[in-house]
C-alpha cells in the first residue's frame, strides 16, 4: 500500500483537482485539460458518460458495493487509482497495482497520514479530502457535493430518490466536510464549490 500511495501522491502533487461527488450538481462537471479528477461511489459511471478517466476513485462504505454494483463494476477501467476502505477493497475484484486499501479510523478524525488510516466522517467526500490534502494538491473544485438532504433532487445517477440517503447523519456530514475544507484551506489549498451546496451555506454562516 505504501508504494501505491506514494505513486498516488506523485501523480497529484501540485495539481488542480476536480473532486466529483454524486449529488445533482455532478451534472455540471465537464472534463478540463490539465486538471486531475478524483471521484467517489457512482462517479466512474459519470466518467464513462463523458468518455473521461478519473485519476482517483475512492469508496469507503460497504453498502455501496453491496447494493449498487451496477453503478461501479462495469466502469472500473475508468480510473488510474482505486482506493478503498481496506475491509471492502477486495469486493470490487481489482487485483492490479491500481488498488490502494486504506484502513478506516474513527468517524470524526481528519487524518493527515493516510498510510495510518482515514477518518470516516459519515461521508465519502470527507475521506477523499484527506487523501487529496496529503497528496499536496494546489486547488480543489467540488462538483456534486451538495449535501442538501432536504432537497427532493435526486443524485445524478438516480431517477428517484434513493433509500440510502442518511438523513439522520446529514448534520454530522455537513459539519465534518466543512471542517475538512477549513483544514484544507488553512494548508493553502484553494477550494471552490460549484452549484448549490449546504457547505456554502455553512461557510457563509461561519463568516
Amino acid at each position: 500500500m505504501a508504494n501505491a500511495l506514494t505513486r498516488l501522491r506523485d501523480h497529484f502533487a501540485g495539481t488542480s483537482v476536480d473532486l466529483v461527488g454524486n449529488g445533482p450538481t455532478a451534472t455540471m462537471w465537464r472534463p478540463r485539460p490539465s486538471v486531475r479528477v478524483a471521484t467517489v461511489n457512482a462517479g466512474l459511471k459519470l466518467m464513462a458518460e463523458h468518455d473521461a478517466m478519473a485519476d482517483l476513485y475512492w469508496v469507503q462504505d460497504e453498502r455501496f458495493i453491496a447494493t449498487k454494483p451496477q453503478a461501479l463494476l462495469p466502469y472500473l477501467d475508468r480510473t488510474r487509482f482505486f482506493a478503498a476502505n481496506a475491509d471492502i477493497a477486495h469486493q470490487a475484484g481489482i487485483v492490479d497495482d491500481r488498488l490502494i486499501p486504506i484502513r478506516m479510523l474513527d468517524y470524526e478524525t481528519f487524518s493527515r497520514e493516510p498510510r495510518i488510516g482515514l477518518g470516516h466522517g459519515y461521508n465519502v467526500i470527507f475521506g477523499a479530502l484527506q487523501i487529496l490534502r496529503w497528496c499536496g494538491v494546489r486547488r480543489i473544485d467540488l462538483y456534486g457535493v451538495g449535501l442538501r438532504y432536504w432537497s427532493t433532487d435526486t443524485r445524478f445517477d438516480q431517477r428517484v430518490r434513493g433509500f440510502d440517503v442518511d438523513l439522520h447523519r446529514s448534520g454530522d456530514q455537513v459539519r465534518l466536510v466543512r471542517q475538512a475544507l477549513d483544514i484544507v484551506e488553512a494548508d493553502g489549498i484553494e477550494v471552490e464549490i460549484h452549484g448549490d451546496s449546504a457547505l456554502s451555506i455553512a461557510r457563509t454562516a461561519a463568516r
Side-chain angles (χ1 to χ4, degrees):
M1 180 190 75
N3 288 339
L5 272 172
T6 298
R7 287 189 290 107
L8 178 68
R9 183 165 58 180
D10 291 344
H11 186 73
F12 274 99
T15 65
S16 180
V17 180
D18 288 343
L19 176 52
V20 184
N22 293 166
T25 59
T27 57
M28 298 172 59
W29 177 80
R30 296 292 184 275
R32 298 188 290 159
S34 304
V35 176
R36 298 277 196 259
V37 180
T39 193
V40 298
N41 290 354
L44 294 185
K45 181 179 179 182
L46 184 64
M47 298 300 112
E49 291 176 4
H50 288 284
D51 193 23
M53 286 287 292
D55 296 278
L56 169 65
Y57 173 82
W58 165 245
V59 61
Q60 65 189 38
D61 193 337
E62 62 183 344
R63 292 179 307 168
F64 184 81
I65 297 179
T67 64
K68 299 184 178 181
Q70 73 283 356
L72 171 61
L73 301 185
Y75 310 107
L76 293 177
D77 62 339
R78 290 289 173 173
T79 187
R80 294 180 174 88
F81 291 91
F82 185 101
N85 174 345
D87 291 338
I88 63 171
H90 66 283
Q91 294 180 21
I94 291 183
V95 295
D96 57 38
D97 61 2
R98 293 179 298 158
L99 181 62
I100 306 174
I102 299 179
R103 176 174 171 257
M104 300 307 297
L105 303 174
D106 60 40
Y107 282 90
E108 300 268 338
T109 296
F110 183 95
S111 172
R112 296 179 179 272
E113 184 47 81
R115 288 171 292 192
I116 296 174
L118 296 177
H120 189 285
Y122 306 103
N123 187 278
V124 69
I125 295 297
F126 188 75
L129 287 169
Q130 293 167 77
I131 296 172
L132 294 176
R133 191 218 64 84
W134 180 79
C135 285
V137 304
R138 177 178 58 82
R139 176 184 171 93
I140 301 173
D141 285 81
L142 285 86
Y143 297 85
V145 188
L147 301 183
R148 298 173 70 247
Y149 296 101
W150 57 87
S151 170
T152 57
D153 294 338
T154 60
R155 295 173 179 176
F156 83 89
D157 63 319
Q158 296 175 333
R159 293 185 178 179
V160 296
R161 185 171 173 142
F163 63 88
D164 55 346
V165 176
D166 293 326
L167 292 174
H168 66 296
R169 287 297 184 190
S170 61
D172 289 326
Q173 293 183 15
V174 173
R175 172 178 60 85
L176 288 167
V177 175
R178 181 64 261 164
Q179 287 178 5
L181 290 175
D182 289 344
I183 292 169
V184 163
E185 290 180 303
D187 284 344
I189 299 171
E190 297 177 55
V191 173
E192 183 166 352
I193 302 167
H194 296 265
D196 293 338
S197 175
L199 298 173
S200 301
I201 297 170
R203 171 185 277 183
T204 300
R207 292 175 178 174

